[in-house]
């Protein structure tokens, strides 16, 4: 279908070769994304939620709003073509709006709320789903991993002796993330229960309650359900826990270069958005507490 679309752009629409190459690459990148997320998906079964998750993934990788909007334009052109050829009957791009160019401050869960949630896990979880949920929330909050990085994690990537996790990020770039004793205990317990329940599970760290590698949709739902227990913010996704990790690190004295390396940001500017978040917190605390400011 993509090859036919490229021919259509070149021969019927007379697009420039540069635009054609960009549109083809953007659509192939999207195809790789949704096939990685769920191999059963196809161009005819894509819905708006998949497109929105892809947008979030791009922003998480540090892509600018302008770049994301350009890629969405490429998708829009392709889906209009599929609609015209009657290959699809509903355009998943119809209600999709691209990100605003001025990136808002990242949404995060307060430390007090995260502590309240994590403290509830101190009581021994009673079933596999609870143990899985605890492990997911704790590992996201303690490492700041991206959604795709966590879903691609394997047991061999976790070194309990040195307390390090090897993460494979965008373009197969690898980095090392340290972790503490609390996460070690939770991860070891999860793996023990998982292996007892599913002796022949796939080669993936995260295994669903049915014994399969955990899918992105189920992963996101688990995080949303857990965060709903302690916060009322509208967005309750794995990406929010990444923001929460970075904000908590900076609030507690970590230098920005260290946070940049742990998050896997190529540019320091991408990480600096969290300094704006911490500044807003400080400003609110000042306005609330300073005696001269109350006059």
């Amino acid at each position: 279908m993509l090859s036919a679309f490229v021919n259509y752009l070149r021969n019927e629409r007379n697009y420039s070769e540069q635009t054609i190459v960009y549109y083809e690459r953007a659509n192939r990148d999207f195809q790789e994304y949704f096939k990685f997320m769920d191999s059963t998906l196809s161009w005819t079964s894509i819905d708006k939620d998949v497109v929105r998750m892809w947008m979030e993934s791009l922003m998480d990788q540090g892509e600018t709003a302008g770049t994301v909007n350009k890629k969405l334009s490429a998708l829009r052109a392709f889906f209009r073509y599929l609609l015209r050829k009657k290959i699809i009957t509903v355009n998943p791009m119809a209600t999709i709006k691209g990100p605003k160019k001025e990136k808002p401050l990242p949404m995060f869960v307060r430390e007090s709320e995260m502590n309240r949630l994590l403290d509830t896990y101190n009581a021994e979880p009673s079933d596999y789903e609870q143990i899985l949920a605890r492990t997911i929330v704790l590992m996201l909050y303690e490492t700041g991993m991206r959604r795709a990085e966590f879903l691609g994690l394997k047991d061999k990537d976790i070194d309990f002796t040195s307390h390090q996790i090897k993460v494979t990020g965008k373009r197969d770039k690898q980095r090392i993330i340290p972790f503490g004793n609390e996460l070690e205990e939770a991860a070891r317990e999860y793996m023990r229960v998982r292996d007892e329940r599913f002796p022949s599970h796939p080669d993936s760290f995260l295994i669903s309650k049915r014994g399969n590698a955990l899918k992105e949709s189920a992963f996101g739902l688990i995080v949303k359900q857990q965060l709903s227990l302690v916060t009322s913010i509208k967005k309750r996704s794995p990406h929010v826990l990444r923001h929460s990790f970075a904000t908590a690190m900076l609030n507690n004295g970590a230098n920005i270069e260290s946070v940049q390396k742990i998050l896997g940001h190529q540019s320091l500017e991408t990480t600096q958005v969290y300094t704006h978040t911490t500044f807003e917190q400080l400003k609110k605390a000042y306005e609330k507490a300073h005696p001269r400011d109350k006059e």
Side-chain angles (χ1 to χ4, degrees), residues 30-41:
F30 176 61
Q31 185 178 44
E32 288 180 8
Y33 171 82
F34 70 68
K35 284 295 185 182
F36 173 79
M37 184 177 71
D38 186 347
S39 61
T40 64
L41 287 175

Side-chain angles (χ1 to χ4, degrees), residues 157-267:
D157 298 324
I158 304 174
D159 185 341
F160 288 110
T161 302
S162 57
H163 280 199
Q164 294 179 340
I165 299 176
K166 182 173 68 176
V167 173
T168 303
K170 188 180 179 183
R171 299 186 184 92
D172 292 330
K173 290 185 177 180
Q174 293 185 332
R175 66 184 189 280
I176 302 297
I177 300 177
F179 64 90
N181 293 328
E182 184 180 15
L183 181 54
E184 178 188 1
E185 292 176 10
R188 284 187 182 277
E189 173 65 8
Y190 159 72
M191 293 168 69
R192 183 188 66 77
V193 175
R194 178 202 64 188
D195 293 347
E196 286 181 359
R197 181 171 177 139
F198 308 110
S200 302
H201 63 76
D203 184 21
S204 177
F205 178 72
L206 293 177
I207 301 298
S208 74
K209 62 182 180 181
R210 293 184 175 85
N212 304 312
L214 193 67
K215 291 186 176 181
E216 185 166 355
S217 56
F219 181 75
L221 182 60
I222 289 171
V223 173
K224 183 177 181 179
Q225 289 173 337
Q226 292 299 302
L227 294 186
S228 297
L229 299 174
V230 293
T231 182
S232 59
I233 59 175
K234 291 182 179 179
K235 193 173 183 181
R236 300 185 289 273
S237 67
H239 193 60
V240 168
L241 279 176
R242 181 170 163 86
H243 292 327
S244 304
F245 161 82
T247 304
M249 288 284 287
L250 290 171
N251 281 344
N252 287 279
N255 66 69
I256 193 169
E257 289 83 5
S258 297
V259 176
Q260 176 196 4
K261 289 179 181 178
I262 293 174
L263 291 175
H265 287 160
Q266 291 185 348
S267 170

Side-chain angles (χ1 to χ4, degrees), residues 62-81:
E63 299 284 9
T64 65
T67 299
V68 174
N69 281 316
K70 282 180 65 178
K71 292 187 176 185
L72 289 175
S73 294
L75 259 66
R76 287 191 181 95
F78 185 44
F79 279 112
R80 283 198 300 268
Y81 167 80

